[in-house]
Amino acid sequence: MWVLTGAVLLWMHFGPCLASPEINAAGEKNVLLSHLMNRQVFDYRAYKDVQIFHYNIPEQVSKATWNFSANPTSLHHCDIRNVSVYLKYGSYPVISPDGAEFPSHFRVHQSPIYESHFVSDGSRHIVNVTSPTPGDWYAVAFLPVNRARITQKGLFPNCTIWLESSLSATIISDVIVVFPEVQSHQEVQLYQEIENSSQTYKFYVPADTWAVQVNVSRCSAHGFPKENKAAAGCPLLVWSSGRSLPNPDHPGTATTNCSNNGAVTNCQQEWVPWEEQWHYLTIAAPSHHVGFALKVLFQSCAPEYPLPRYLLVNDLDTKHICSSINKTSKLRVIFRNTNNQTRLPPPPNCYARIPLTRKTYGGNFLFEFDQLPFENGSTPLKAQVSTLSPTLMSFEIRPTQDIGGTLNFEIGLDPFLNTSYHNVSLVACLTHGVRSEVLPDRCTVGASLHVNSSSSLTVSRVSIPYPEPGLWYITMQAFCYLKDYRLNKGQLLIDCPTNKTPVYFGLASGSCIFGSCGRYGRCHQYISSGFIFSTCVCSVGYRGWGCTDDKKALTSSELLMGTLLLTLSNLFFIPAIILALRRKFFTEAFLYFSTMFFSTFYHACDEEGYSFCLMRLSVMQFCDFYSAILSFWATMVSMADLGFVLTSLLHMAGAVGVALGVEYDQTGLWVFLIPVLSGTFIIMVSWASHMHRKKGCYPQKKYWFLCLPIGMALAAGGLLSYAFLETDHNYKFVHSGWHAAMALAICFLLPLRREAEDYLPASTTPAHS
C-alpha cells in the first residue's frame, strides 16, 4: 500500500514533466512596484507635521530600492532646504528629530528604521534594504526646522517643497515551495545537488508550531579523491529566517556552517518560528559540488497534529525536479521507511495558553483584549499564571487600522496574595512575532515587565507607540523566593506552595498616552495621505512623545511675562484714544479702543500657560486683524481732511473692503498694503488740493517738521520689526514693541484738530469767530 502511495506521489511530481519538458530559466527580475508623485512636505515642529508615504513589498524580494527626490516651487527664488525621510516596515516610524526624550515606559525600538537626509535640489537619493520584510512599509518625510524666523506672508517667496518617491525591487523567482506531509509510515526527504551556487526554499508555518528543525544529511562533496571525501565533511552554509529571505548580515537570520562539524556529514538547525508566516531557507555551496538530503520538521503544540510534520516539495515547482538543463541543481524526492528511524521527540514543554478576545469601542484605535467570558457572560478579573512553567497569551494587531495608536500593557500582582512565608516575583515579556523565554529577572527578547510583592511598585507597564501588525505574545511566569532576599541581590528561589498565581493585567490600545498628553499637551488625530495617526501637540516648551521632556520648557515667570507683555502693551493705545477724543475724532477713538480690546484678549487667549479666552480664538483673531487694519485706514482718512461727506463714504468703504480682505486672507501682505497705498494716494491728492486752494503750506509746518516725521518713523520701525525681525524666541518682545510703536505713531499722525464744520451737519454749523 505504501509503495502505491509513493508511486502516486511520484506521478504527482514527475507527471507534469513528461507533458512539459520546456523550462524557462529562473533567476532574478527587477520590478518597479510603485511611483508616488509630488507631495508637499512641511516644517517639523511636532509629529503632526510629517507627510506619510505608503509602499507595499511582495514576497521573495532580495533587495528593495527607494528613490527620493525633493524640489522647491522655484529653484531661482526659493532656498534649498534640508529634507529628512524615515522608513520602516509595518507601521509609522517612531522618531524624535528634535532629540526629545520618550516617556520612561515607552518601548520604541522594534523593526529597524532606515533614514535618509538630503537637500531639495532635485537630485535623487537612494535607500537600499536587503531582504525586506514583505508587506506594508511606511515613510515619514518633513523639513527639519533650522531657522526660527517668522516670515510674513507676501514679503517672501511662497516656497513649497515637494517630495517624489519610487520603489523598485529585485524579486527571486527560483524558490522551491514545500508543504507539510503528516503520516507515520515513511520519512520524506529531498535530495539535491548544487555546484558553486545556492538554492532557496520556502514553507508556511501554521499556528501552534513550537519549533522548526532543519536537517541536512547524506552530505557528499563531489570531485574529491576517495581518500579525502571524509575529510571534506559537509561544505554547506545554511541560512534561515522568518517572513523575509535570509540575509547573513541581519540579526534575524539563523546561520549554520555545516563544515564546522568536521567529517560528520549531518547538520541541523533549530529555531522558534513566526507562527502563521512564510519562512525561507537557503542552502549554499560556495565553492563545491555537493549533494545532500533535506528534511524540515515542525514540532507542534496543536492537539490535532501529535506527530512531527515533514515537508515535501510542492507539485507546482516540478521544474526544479524535472530540469535537465540546469546540471548544477538536481533535485529528487526520497521516500524512506521510518520503522527503525529515530523520531524527533515532541516539544518538552508547550506553554499553557490563555485565549484572549478582542473588544472594540467607538473611535479610532480604541480596543482591548481580555480573557474569554464565563458561561454566565462575566469576564474573569484575574489571570491564573503558572509557577512551574511560562504561561502564554497571544493577540493580533491589524494592519493599517490599529497601528496609529499606542498599545499599553500593564500587570500587577493580586494585593491579597498570601506572602506570609515567601515573596512572589512576576516576570512578563511582550514580544512581536516570536515568543520569549522567561528568566527570573528578565526576558530574552522583547519588552520586560517585572513586579514583586516585596516592592512598593505593585504595577508595571509598557507602551508601544504605533505597534507593528501581526501576532504579539505575552509570556508570563511567577517565581517565589525567600522573604529576606531580593532577586537582584540573592536570587534565592524556592518552590511555590501553589502551582498558580492570580495576576491582574490590562492590554488595551488608545490614542497618545491613554488618550491624553499630560498637563502640557493635547492629544489629536491627524490624517496624512489617507492614514490616521494620533500624536501629542505640546505647549509651553515641553517636548517629546508624551510632552514629558521639560529640558526646554518655559518657567512660570517666563510664561507670565510673555502674556503680560503681549496684552499690556496694548495699553499704549490709551493716549491715542484720549487724544482722539480731545480732538473730536470720535470714530477713530472708537476704532482705537476696539483694536486695544480685541488685541488684548486675542493674545490672552492665544498664549500658552496663562491664557483666558473671552470668545473662540478664531473670532478674536479676526477681530484683532480687522480692527487694526481699519484703524490704519481711518487714521489716514482723517489725515487727508476730506470733509464730512467723503470721510463718511471712505469710512464705510474701508469697513466693507477691509472685512472682505481679512476674511479672504487675514495674514496676507496685500490686505494691509492696499489700504495703506490707497490712503497715501488720497492724502497726497487732498493735501495738494488744500495747498492749491490756500496758496500755502498744508498742513501746518509744526505737523510737517515734527509730528509727521516722528509718526512715520515710529510706524516704519514697527512695520519693519514686525515683518523682518520676529522669531519664535523674541516674538513676545518684538510683537509687543509693534503694539507700542503703532499706538504711539497714531498720537503723532493724527491731525491737530478737526473743526466743527467738518463733522456737524450744515444746518447746525456755527459761525466762525
Side-chain angles (χ1 to χ4, degrees):
M1 178 178 179
W2 305 130
V3 175
L4 179 61
T5 302
V8 172
L9 289 173
L10 284 173
W11 169 254
M12 290 173 57
H13 287 84
F14 291 99
C17 302
L18 303 177
S20 153
E22 295 292 335
I23 300 176
N24 295 327
E28 297 181 345
K29 57 181 179 179
N30 294 320
V31 179
L32 178 63
L33 299 178
S34 61
H35 189 180
L36 304 183
M37 302 306 293
N38 286 334
R39 298 182 186 179
Q40 185 178 358
V41 288
F42 306 93
D43 289 332
Y44 183 93
R45 288 181 172 84
Y47 201 89
K48 65 182 180 62
D49 300 317
V50 303
Q51 179 72 266
I52 294 179
F53 294 77
H54 172 254
Y55 314 90
N56 188 273
I57 293 182
E59 297 174 352
Q60 300 177 199
V61 172
S62 61
K63 186 175 73 170
T65 301
W66 280 267
N67 279 275
F68 296 100
S69 176
N71 297 275
T73 306
S74 171
L75 284 172
H76 300 289
H77 301 95
C78 297
D79 295 336
I80 300 297
R81 298 288 306 275
N82 293 322
V83 181
S84 293
V85 176
Y86 292 81
L87 180 70
K88 181 178 178 293
Y89 161 77
S91 64
Y92 317 128
V94 179
I95 57 176
S96 180
D98 56 358
E101 295 181 354
F102 291 96
S104 58
H105 56 88
F106 263 44
R107 180 67 180 255
V108 298
H109 300 294
Q110 302 172 52
S111 294
I113 295 179
Y114 304 89
E115 56 184 282
S116 179
H117 307 278
F118 48 92
V119 295
S120 58
D121 59 357
S123 59
R124 292 198 168 272
H125 301 269
I126 297 176
V127 176
N128 290 318
V129 178
T130 304
S131 301
T133 304
D136 296 318
W137 283 70
Y138 297 90
V140 294
F142 55 87
L143 305 175
V145 177
N146 53 10
R147 52 185 178 182
R149 187 177 66 181
I150 299 175
T151 57
Q152 303 302 328
K153 188 175 181 180
L155 293 178
F156 300 93
N158 184 18
C159 293
T160 301
I161 305 299
W162 302 92
L163 182 64
E164 179 182 0
S165 68
S166 63
L167 169 62
S168 58
T170 302
I171 301 177
I172 296 180
S173 57
D174 186 15
V175 177
I176 298 177
V177 183
V178 291
F179 66 90
E181 174 76 7
V182 182
Q183 34 78 20
S184 59
H185 54 273
Q186 61 187 4
E187 180 182 285
V188 184
Q189 295 182 7
L190 301 179
Y191 187 83
Q192 186 169 17
E193 295 182 7
I194 57 178
E195 181 178 358
N196 302 330
S197 62
S198 62
Q199 180 60 60
T200 300
Y201 312 85
K202 77 173 184 178
F203 51 89
Y204 188 81
V205 174
D208 295 320
T209 301
W210 180 261
V212 171
Q213 187 181 95
V214 176
N215 284 303
V216 177
S217 60
R218 304 180 63 189
C219 186
S220 175
H222 302 285
F224 283 84
K226 292 185 178 181
E227 58 273 12
N228 294 334
K229 279 192 175 183
C234 185
L236 291 176
L237 295 175
V238 180
W239 300 307
S240 58
S241 66
R243 304 187 297 172
S244 60
L245 292 173
N247 179 8
D249 298 327
H250 194 279
T253 297
T255 302
T256 300
N257 188 345
C258 295
S259 62
N260 293 336
N261 294 341
V264 179
T265 60
N266 295 333
C267 184
Q268 73 177 24
Q269 187 183 89
E270 184 174 347
W271 27 269
V272 177
W274 293 68
E275 296 183 33
E276 302 183 58
Q277 295 286 343
W278 285 98
H279 286 63
Y280 294 84
L281 173 68
T282 298
I283 298 180
S287 57
H288 297 87
H289 181 187
V290 183
F292 60 91
L294 170 67
K295 65 177 180 181
V296 183
L297 297 92
F298 293 165
Q299 299 183 67
S300 176
C301 290
E304 63 268 26
Y305 294 114
L307 298 172
R309 281 175 283 182
Y310 297 83
L311 295 183
L312 182 67
V313 68
N314 192 322
D315 57 355
L316 297 179
D317 290 299
T318 53
K319 61 184 180 182
H320 294 284
I321 303 176
C322 310
S323 176
S324 59
I325 301 175
N326 186 2
K327 300 299 183 180
T328 62
S329 179
K330 300 177 181 178
L331 179 66
R332 62 181 185 272
V333 184
I334 300 175
F335 299 93
R336 301 178 61 190
N337 191 299
T338 60
N339 293 333
N340 298 322
Q341 299 294 321
T342 302
R343 298 293 302 277
L344 190 69
N349 184 14
C350 286
Y351 297 163
R353 295 204 179 208
I354 298 178
L356 299 178
T357 182
R358 174 177 171 134
K359 300 178 181 178
T360 304
Y361 303 94
N364 298 316
F365 321 123
L366 294 178
F367 57 90
E368 67 175 351
F369 296 93
D370 211 338
Q371 298 182 78
L372 295 178
F374 295 121
E375 293 183 358
N376 60 5
S378 61
T379 302
L381 297 177
K382 308 171 187 176
Q384 299 298 323
V385 175
S386 173
T387 60
L388 303 177
S389 63
T391 300
L392 188 66
M393 296 186 289
S394 63
F395 59 95
E396 183 181 8
I397 296 295
R398 299 171 183 171
T400 307
Q401 61 180 324
D402 290 351
I403 63 175
T406 302
L407 180 66
N408 303 289
F409 173 55
E410 58 183 5
I411 58 170
L413 290 170
D414 186 352
F416 302 103
L417 195 65
N418 184 7
T419 57
S420 302
Y421 304 102
H422 66 280
N423 283 318
V424 177
S425 172
L426 176 66
V427 179
C429 310
L430 178 63
T431 56
H432 176 238
V434 293
R435 66 181 185 273
S436 171
E437 294 184 17
V438 184
L439 302 179
D441 59 342
R442 60 184 175 88
C443 304
T444 55
V445 294
S448 177
L449 290 82
H450 189 191
V451 292
N452 60 73
S453 57
S454 63
S455 172
S456 58
L457 182 63
T458 58
V459 176
S460 179
R461 70 173 183 175
V462 65
S463 297
I464 312 291
Y466 302 161
E468 296 176 10
L471 284 176
W472 288 71
Y473 297 91
I474 298 173
T475 314
M476 296 187 289
Q477 185 173 356
F479 301 90
C480 296
Y481 60 100
L482 294 180
K483 198 171 184 63
D484 295 334
Y485 289 84
R486 293 184 180 273
L487 280 180
N488 59 352
K489 292 183 179 179
Q491 290 194 358
L492 187 57
L493 297 177
I494 61 173
D495 293 334
C496 295
T498 59
N499 295 338
K500 299 286 186 180
T501 296
V503 171
Y504 291 98
F505 78 94
L507 180 60
S509 171
S511 297
C512 304
I513 315 297
F514 296 100
S516 67
C517 297
R519 179 182 177 186
Y520 301 104
R522 293 183 179 180
C523 181
H524 296 276
Q525 294 182 3
Y526 295 91
I527 299 178
S528 177
S529 302
F531 297 95
I532 303 177
F533 62 96
S534 64
T535 185
C536 290
V537 179
C538 308
S539 60
V540 301
Y542 277 80
R543 304 178 303 158
W545 210 259
C547 300
T548 55
D549 189 332
D550 60 354
K551 291 185 177 63
K552 295 186 178 180
L554 301 176
T555 63
S556 298
S557 59
E558 290 175 324
L559 294 172
L560 181 60
M561 180 182 65
T563 302
L564 293 177
L565 279 173
L566 291 170
T567 55
L568 298 183
S569 60
N570 290 284
L571 297 179
F572 280 94
F573 280 96
I574 292 178
I577 296 171
I578 296 174
L579 190 63
L581 290 174
R582 292 190 61 182
R583 296 180 180 178
K584 304 187 185 304
F585 292 99
F586 302 114
T587 301
E588 289 79 357
F590 173 75
L591 290 175
Y592 302 153
F593 173 80
S594 299
T595 301
M596 179 184 69
F597 178 84
F598 288 117
S599 180
T600 298
F601 284 98
Y602 164 64
H603 286 290
C605 183
D606 188 48
E607 278 303 288
E608 301 175 338
Y610 296 93
S611 63
F612 171 75
C613 291
L614 187 65
M615 307 180 195
R616 193 169 67 247
L617 180 63
S618 59
V619 176
M620 300 300 297
Q621 186 182 39
F622 173 85
C623 294
D624 177 32
F625 281 86
Y626 177 71
S627 59
I629 297 175
L630 193 58
S631 295
F632 274 101
W633 172 254
T635 301
M636 301 187 78
V637 171
S638 66
M639 292 169 61
D641 192 10
L642 298 172
F644 176 76
V645 176
L646 286 177
T647 298
S648 298
L649 176 62
L650 291 176
H651 279 170
M652 292 306 300
V656 174
V658 171
L660 175 64
V662 172
E663 179 64 25
Y664 181 76
D665 187 3
Q666 61 188 10
T667 61
L669 175 64
W670 290 103
V671 179
F672 181 81
L673 197 57
I674 290 177
V676 171
L677 295 177
S678 301
T680 302
F681 175 76
I682 293 171
I683 290 173
M684 294 173 61
V685 173
S686 176
W687 285 3
S689 175
H690 280 291
M691 290 180 190
H692 177 72
R693 188 172 63 252
K694 293 186 176 182
K695 306 299 180 182
C697 181
Y698 185 87
Q700 302 175 8
K701 292 182 179 181
K702 178 182 178 181
Y703 189 85
W704 271 103
F705 294 105
L706 180 62
C707 298
L708 187 61
I710 297 176
M712 292 183 64
L714 286 170
L719 286 172
L720 291 175
S721 62
Y722 173 79
F724 299 102
L725 300 182
E726 280 189 354
T727 67
D728 292 335
H729 302 294
N730 66 13
Y731 172 77
K732 55 181 175 290
F733 300 105
V734 175
H735 201 79
S736 299
W738 147 264
H739 289 166
M742 292 298 102
L744 294 176
I746 290 173
C747 296
F748 290 93
L749 294 177
L750 202 64
L752 298 180
R753 185 173 182 81
R754 171 175 284 169
E755 298 298 334
E757 65 268 18
D758 291 334
Y759 59 87
L760 292 177
S763 59
T764 61
T765 301
H768 288 283
S769 56

Short mmCIF file of all heavy atoms in Angstrom, two decimals, residues 3-38:
data_model
loop_
_atom_site.label_atom_id
_atom_site.label_comp_id
_atom_site.label_asym_id
_atom_site.label_seq_id
_atom_site.Cartn_x
_atom_site.Cartn_y
_atom_site.Cartn_z
N VAL A 3 3.85 1.44 -1.08
CA VAL A 3 4.51 1.56 -2.39
C VAL A 3 3.60 2.27 -3.38
O VAL A 3 4.01 3.13 -4.17
CB VAL A 3 4.90 0.17 -2.91
CG1 VAL A 3 5.47 0.27 -4.32
CG2 VAL A 3 5.92 -0.48 -1.97
N LEU A 4 2.29 1.92 -3.33
CA LEU A 4 1.33 2.57 -4.21
C LEU A 4 1.22 4.06 -3.90
O LEU A 4 1.15 4.89 -4.80
CB LEU A 4 -0.03 1.88 -4.08
CG LEU A 4 -1.17 2.47 -4.94
CD1 LEU A 4 -0.81 2.37 -6.42
CD2 LEU A 4 -2.47 1.73 -4.64
N THR A 5 1.23 4.36 -2.61
CA THR A 5 1.16 5.78 -2.21
C THR A 5 2.37 6.54 -2.74
O THR A 5 2.25 7.65 -3.26
CB THR A 5 1.09 5.89 -0.68
OG1 THR A 5 -0.05 5.17 -0.23
CG2 THR A 5 0.99 7.35 -0.25
N GLY A 6 3.57 5.91 -2.60
CA GLY A 6 4.77 6.56 -3.11
C GLY A 6 4.71 6.74 -4.61
O GLY A 6 5.13 7.77 -5.15
N ALA A 7 4.15 5.76 -5.33
CA ALA A 7 4.06 5.89 -6.78
C ALA A 7 3.12 7.02 -7.18
O ALA A 7 3.38 7.75 -8.14
CB ALA A 7 3.58 4.55 -7.38
N VAL A 8 2.02 7.14 -6.45
CA VAL A 8 1.08 8.23 -6.74
C VAL A 8 1.74 9.58 -6.52
O VAL A 8 1.59 10.52 -7.31
CB VAL A 8 -0.18 8.09 -5.86
CG1 VAL A 8 -1.07 9.32 -6.01
CG2 VAL A 8 -0.96 6.84 -6.27
N LEU A 9 2.49 9.71 -5.41
CA LEU A 9 3.17 10.98 -5.14
C LEU A 9 4.22 11.28 -6.20
O LEU A 9 4.40 12.43 -6.62
CB LEU A 9 3.82 10.92 -3.76
CG LEU A 9 2.84 10.97 -2.57
CD1 LEU A 9 3.61 10.73 -1.27
CD2 LEU A 9 2.10 12.29 -2.53
N LEU A 10 4.93 10.21 -6.64
CA LEU A 10 5.92 10.42 -7.69
C LEU A 10 5.25 10.90 -8.97
O LEU A 10 5.76 11.78 -9.67
CB LEU A 10 6.69 9.13 -7.95
CG LEU A 10 7.75 8.76 -6.90
CD1 LEU A 10 8.30 7.38 -7.20
CD2 LEU A 10 8.87 9.80 -6.92
N TRP A 11 4.10 10.31 -9.31
CA TRP A 11 3.41 10.75 -10.52
C TRP A 11 2.93 12.19 -10.39
O TRP A 11 2.99 12.98 -11.33
CB TRP A 11 2.23 9.82 -10.82
CG TRP A 11 1.35 10.39 -11.91
CD1 TRP A 11 0.13 10.96 -11.80
CD2 TRP A 11 1.69 10.47 -13.30
NE1 TRP A 11 -0.33 11.39 -13.00
CE2 TRP A 11 0.62 11.09 -13.96
CE3 TRP A 11 2.80 10.06 -14.05
CZ2 TRP A 11 0.61 11.31 -15.33
CZ3 TRP A 11 2.79 10.29 -15.41
CH2 TRP A 11 1.72 10.91 -16.04
N MET A 12 2.50 12.58 -9.17
CA MET A 12 2.06 13.97 -8.96
C MET A 12 3.20 14.94 -9.24
O MET A 12 2.97 16.04 -9.73
CB MET A 12 1.55 14.15 -7.52
CG MET A 12 0.23 13.44 -7.23
SD MET A 12 -0.19 13.55 -5.48
CE MET A 12 -0.20 15.34 -5.25
N HIS A 13 4.41 14.55 -8.90
CA HIS A 13 5.53 15.45 -9.06
C HIS A 13 6.18 15.35 -10.43
O HIS A 13 6.61 16.35 -11.00
CB HIS A 13 6.59 15.16 -7.98
CG HIS A 13 6.16 15.64 -6.64
ND1 HIS A 13 5.37 14.90 -5.82
CD2 HIS A 13 6.41 16.81 -5.99
CE1 HIS A 13 5.13 15.56 -4.70
NE2 HIS A 13 5.75 16.72 -4.78
N PHE A 14 6.30 14.12 -10.96
CA PHE A 14 7.04 13.95 -12.20
C PHE A 14 6.15 13.87 -13.43
O PHE A 14 6.63 14.01 -14.53
CB PHE A 14 7.89 12.67 -12.14
CG PHE A 14 9.03 12.79 -11.17
CD1 PHE A 14 8.92 12.26 -9.89
CD2 PHE A 14 10.20 13.44 -11.52
CE1 PHE A 14 9.96 12.37 -9.01
CE2 PHE A 14 11.24 13.55 -10.62
CZ PHE A 14 11.13 13.02 -9.36
N GLY A 15 4.83 13.65 -13.20
CA GLY A 15 3.92 13.57 -14.34
C GLY A 15 3.94 14.81 -15.19
O GLY A 15 4.04 14.73 -16.41
N PRO A 16 3.83 16.00 -14.61
CA PRO A 16 3.85 17.22 -15.43
C PRO A 16 5.14 17.36 -16.21
O PRO A 16 5.16 18.05 -17.24
CB PRO A 16 3.69 18.33 -14.40
CG PRO A 16 3.00 17.69 -13.25
CD PRO A 16 3.53 16.30 -13.21
N CYS A 17 6.23 16.74 -15.77
CA CYS A 17 7.49 16.87 -16.50
C CYS A 17 7.39 16.21 -17.86
O CYS A 17 8.00 16.67 -18.83
CB CYS A 17 8.63 16.23 -15.72
SG CYS A 17 8.85 16.95 -14.08
N LEU A 18 6.62 15.12 -17.91
CA LEU A 18 6.52 14.41 -19.17
C LEU A 18 5.75 15.20 -20.19
O LEU A 18 6.01 15.14 -21.39
CB LEU A 18 5.84 13.04 -18.92
CG LEU A 18 6.55 12.15 -17.89
CD1 LEU A 18 5.74 10.87 -17.69
CD2 LEU A 18 7.97 11.84 -18.34
N ALA A 19 4.77 15.98 -19.70
CA ALA A 19 3.95 16.75 -20.62
C ALA A 19 4.56 18.09 -20.97
O ALA A 19 4.18 18.71 -21.94
CB ALA A 19 2.56 16.95 -20.01
N SER A 20 5.48 18.59 -20.14
CA SER A 20 6.01 19.92 -20.34
C SER A 20 7.50 19.93 -20.10
O SER A 20 7.98 20.35 -19.06
CB SER A 20 5.27 20.87 -19.40
OG SER A 20 5.94 21.94 -19.04
N PRO A 21 8.31 19.46 -21.06
CA PRO A 21 9.75 19.36 -20.85
C PRO A 21 10.45 20.70 -20.92
O PRO A 21 11.56 20.84 -20.42
CB PRO A 21 10.19 18.44 -22.00
CG PRO A 21 9.17 18.64 -23.05
CD PRO A 21 7.89 18.90 -22.35
N GLU A 22 9.83 21.73 -21.58
CA GLU A 22 10.49 23.03 -21.70
C GLU A 22 10.36 23.79 -20.38
O GLU A 22 9.27 23.95 -19.85
CB GLU A 22 9.84 23.83 -22.84
CG GLU A 22 10.03 23.20 -24.21
CD GLU A 22 11.48 23.26 -24.63
OE1 GLU A 22 12.21 24.15 -24.15
OE2 GLU A 22 11.89 22.40 -25.45
N ILE A 23 11.48 24.27 -19.88
CA ILE A 23 11.50 25.01 -18.62
C ILE A 23 12.23 26.32 -18.85
O ILE A 23 13.34 26.33 -19.38
CB ILE A 23 12.20 24.21 -17.51
CG1 ILE A 23 11.47 22.88 -17.27
CG2 ILE A 23 12.29 25.02 -16.22
CD1 ILE A 23 12.15 21.99 -16.28
N ASN A 24 11.58 27.40 -18.47
CA ASN A 24 12.21 28.71 -18.60
C ASN A 24 13.27 28.90 -17.53
O ASN A 24 13.19 28.34 -16.44
CB ASN A 24 11.16 29.82 -18.47
CG ASN A 24 10.15 29.78 -19.59
OD1 ASN A 24 10.51 29.42 -20.71
ND2 ASN A 24 8.91 30.15 -19.29
N ALA A 25 14.29 29.64 -17.90
CA ALA A 25 15.36 29.91 -16.93
C ALA A 25 14.82 30.75 -15.78
O ALA A 25 14.11 31.71 -15.98
CB ALA A 25 16.51 30.64 -17.60
N ALA A 26 15.17 30.34 -14.58
CA ALA A 26 14.72 31.06 -13.38
C ALA A 26 15.85 31.92 -12.86
O ALA A 26 17.01 31.58 -12.95
CB ALA A 26 14.28 30.08 -12.30
N GLY A 27 15.49 33.03 -12.31
CA GLY A 27 16.50 33.94 -11.75
C GLY A 27 15.85 35.13 -11.11
O GLY A 27 14.74 35.03 -10.59
N GLU A 28 16.54 36.25 -11.15
CA GLU A 28 16.04 37.46 -10.52
C GLU A 28 15.45 38.38 -11.59
O GLU A 28 15.88 38.38 -12.75
CB GLU A 28 17.17 38.20 -9.79
CG GLU A 28 17.76 37.41 -8.64
CD GLU A 28 18.86 38.19 -7.94
OE1 GLU A 28 19.32 39.18 -8.51
OE2 GLU A 28 19.25 37.79 -6.83
N LYS A 29 14.48 39.17 -11.17
CA LYS A 29 13.89 40.16 -12.07
C LYS A 29 13.65 41.45 -11.29
O LYS A 29 13.27 41.44 -10.12
CB LYS A 29 12.59 39.66 -12.67
CG LYS A 29 11.52 39.26 -11.65
CD LYS A 29 10.28 38.76 -12.35
CE LYS A 29 9.21 38.33 -11.32
NZ LYS A 29 7.98 37.87 -11.98
N ASN A 30 13.92 42.56 -11.94
CA ASN A 30 13.73 43.88 -11.34
C ASN A 30 12.37 44.42 -11.75
O ASN A 30 12.02 44.44 -12.94
CB ASN A 30 14.83 44.84 -11.79
CG ASN A 30 16.20 44.41 -11.27
OD1 ASN A 30 16.34 43.98 -10.13
ND2 ASN A 30 17.21 44.52 -12.12
N VAL A 31 11.62 44.91 -10.75
CA VAL A 31 10.26 45.36 -10.97
C VAL A 31 10.08 46.71 -10.31
O VAL A 31 10.51 46.92 -9.17
CB VAL A 31 9.23 44.36 -10.39
CG1 VAL A 31 7.81 44.85 -10.61
CG2 VAL A 31 9.42 42.99 -11.00
N LEU A 32 9.46 47.65 -11.02
CA LEU A 32 9.05 48.92 -10.43
C LEU A 32 7.70 48.71 -9.76
O LEU A 32 6.69 48.49 -10.42
CB LEU A 32 8.95 50.01 -11.50
CG LEU A 32 8.48 51.39 -11.02
CD1 LEU A 32 9.47 51.98 -10.02
CD2 LEU A 32 8.28 52.33 -12.20
N LEU A 33 7.67 48.79 -8.44
CA LEU A 33 6.46 48.47 -7.69
C LEU A 33 5.52 49.66 -7.56
O LEU A 33 4.30 49.50 -7.63
CB LEU A 33 6.84 47.95 -6.30
CG LEU A 33 7.68 46.67 -6.26
CD1 LEU A 33 8.03 46.30 -4.84
CD2 LEU A 33 6.93 45.53 -6.94
N SER A 34 6.04 50.84 -7.31
CA SER A 34 5.16 52.00 -7.12
C SER A 34 5.94 53.27 -7.40
O SER A 34 7.17 53.32 -7.27
CB SER A 34 4.58 52.03 -5.70
OG SER A 34 5.62 52.14 -4.74
N HIS A 35 5.19 54.30 -7.77
CA HIS A 35 5.77 55.62 -8.02
C HIS A 35 4.81 56.65 -7.42
O HIS A 35 3.70 56.85 -7.93
CB HIS A 35 5.95 55.85 -9.51
CG HIS A 35 6.73 57.09 -9.83
ND1 HIS A 35 7.02 57.48 -11.12
CD2 HIS A 35 7.30 58.02 -9.02
CE1 HIS A 35 7.72 58.60 -11.09
NE2 HIS A 35 7.89 58.95 -9.83
N LEU A 36 5.22 57.27 -6.32
CA LEU A 36 4.38 58.26 -5.64
C LEU A 36 4.80 59.64 -6.11
O LEU A 36 5.94 60.06 -5.92
CB LEU A 36 4.54 58.13 -4.12
CG LEU A 36 4.24 56.75 -3.54
CD1 LEU A 36 4.35 56.78 -2.02
CD2 LEU A 36 2.86 56.26 -3.96
N MET A 37 3.87 60.34 -6.71
CA MET A 37 4.17 61.65 -7.29
C MET A 37 4.33 62.70 -6.20
O MET A 37 4.22 62.41 -5.01
CB MET A 37 3.06 62.04 -8.26
CG MET A 37 2.86 61.04 -9.39
SD MET A 37 4.39 60.68 -10.29
CE MET A 37 4.69 62.26 -11.07
N ASN A 38 4.60 63.94 -6.62
CA ASN A 38 4.96 65.01 -5.70
C ASN A 38 3.93 65.20 -4.59
O ASN A 38 2.72 65.30 -4.86
CB ASN A 38 5.12 66.32 -6.46
CG ASN A 38 6.40 66.36 -7.27
OD1 ASN A 38 7.37 65.68 -6.92
ND2 ASN A 38 6.43 67.14 -8.33
#
